[in-house]
Amino acid sequence: MIPLKDYNPTRTVPVVTLALIVACVVVYFLVQPTFPDDAVQSVESADCTNFRFNLDNAAIPYEITEGRPMTEPEAEELLDLVGCSPSEGQDSSPDKSVVLAVLYSMFLHGGFLHLGGNMLYLWVFGNNIEEVAGKVVYVVFYVVAGAVGTLAHVALNVDSPIPLVGASGAIAGVMGAYLVLFPKVPIRTLIMFFLIMLRDIQARWLLGIWFISQFLINPNGGVAWAAHVGGFVFGVLGGLVLRARRPPEPKPQYAADRPYF
């Protein structure tokens, strides 16, 4: 199920949400070595270059557990293990900040679909949370949710040397807060299950199903489901705090002739 929009209009421009989306898009297309260039002659070498970039910049459970960046011999061993030449990319920097890498990872993505899906979810759910929380609190909430998601992933993968990239943990936090604050707001949803359908589904059902589905993900499939769960749980707790001081929930606005449940 893919949310397309919610029937929950805001009274203010979601400047922070838009800025986060722009930042992620800019980093993906202009900073990450996403596409081959003159120095990268194949898709395979492009993937290796991107993996090396993430290795040098993104959050890595092993580094967080050890409290230090990976050494160059360790990086070369890992590159060889995944079938990449140790010469791909630049040497690991001993000045890499393990803490800042957690923040940096929230703006890196593993592919266009990864980026597009995350930005869609952030746009659908983020603008209302920004309005309720206020711009400064929203920024802090977003970053902390992402950090909590990262630590949840690390807790289950303490020795993993694989970089963690994506804003999913932070966005899951936004979704958790939305569940608490706007549980009955209808979400226009694309459902792909045997048939492709458009339906309006209450946020509590959509987000509840999404949360449960995280536990059904193949743990070896490359999806950091624990980061999603950790960020979502933090978002629910944060939503409970925000609910005490938010304005009244807007009345859901939707056409009566739309299927709705």
Side-chain angles (χ1 to χ4, degrees):
M1 295 192 297
I2 303 175
L4 301 179
K5 67 175 182 177
D6 64 348
Y7 298 93
N8 194 8
T10 58
R11 295 175 293 275
T12 59
V13 178
V15 175
V16 176
T17 298
L18 288 171
L20 289 171
I21 292 173
V22 170
C24 288
V25 171
V26 168
V27 168
Y28 181 76
F29 285 106
L30 299 182
V31 179
Q32 288 186 249
T34 308
F35 301 106
D37 55 25
D38 293 339
V40 182
Q41 301 300 325
S42 69
V43 174
E44 289 76 13
S45 61
D47 289 342
C48 287
T49 301
N50 198 32
F51 182 80
R52 181 69 208 226
F53 175 85
N54 291 335
L55 204 63
D56 293 342
N57 296 279
I60 299 174
Y62 173 77
E63 293 183 338
I64 295 174
T65 303
E66 293 290 319
R68 62 170 178 82
M70 192 177 296
T71 65
E72 184 56 28
E74 290 172 331
E76 291 181 354
E77 182 179 355
L78 177 59
L79 286 165
D80 183 65
L81 184 64
V82 299
C84 294
S85 169
S87 63
E88 296 285 359
Q90 300 178 346
D91 290 344
S92 292
S93 171
D95 297 326
K96 175 184 178 181
S97 170
V98 174
V99 175
L100 288 180
V102 174
L103 177 63
Y104 198 12
S105 284
M106 297 180 202
F107 296 91
L108 303 177
H109 287 84
F112 182 75
L113 290 179
H114 187 205
L115 172 70
N118 273 351
M119 296 305 98
L120 175 61
Y121 274 76
L122 179 56
W123 173 248
V124 171
F125 300 108
N127 55 353
N128 295 107
I129 304 306
E130 176 180 343
E131 184 171 67
V132 172
K135 302 190 186 309
V136 174
V137 173
Y138 179 62
V139 170
V140 175
F141 173 84
Y142 183 89
V143 171
V144 175
V148 170
T150 297
L151 293 178
H153 174 75
V154 172
L156 297 183
N157 302 272
V158 292
D159 295 323
S160 173
I162 304 302
L164 177 66
V165 298
S168 302
I171 296 171
V174 172
M175 294 162 63
Y178 197 101
L179 175 63
V180 172
L181 295 170
F182 307 105
K184 296 183 180 181
V185 168
I187 310 294
R188 191 64 163 168
T189 305
L190 177 64
I191 303 174
M192 294 179 291
F193 187 73
F194 296 114
L195 296 176
I196 298 178
M197 302 176 291
L198 283 173
R199 291 290 186 270
D200 291 343
I201 304 176
Q202 286 186 357
R204 57 182 174 179
W205 300 118
L206 175 65
L207 296 175
I209 292 172
W210 179 89
F211 180 72
I212 293 173
S213 71
Q214 302 310 300
F215 296 95
L216 304 179
I217 294 176
N218 182 353
N220 299 317
V223 177
W225 65 270
H228 301 171
V229 172
F232 191 88
V233 171
F234 173 82
V236 168
L237 296 176
L240 292 173
V241 175
L242 290 173
R243 189 168 65 180
R245 69 180 190 86
R246 73 173 181 85
E249 179 177 326
K251 182 179 180 180
Q253 300 178 10
Y254 57 95
D257 59 346
R258 291 196 181 105
Y260 175 63
F261 60 92

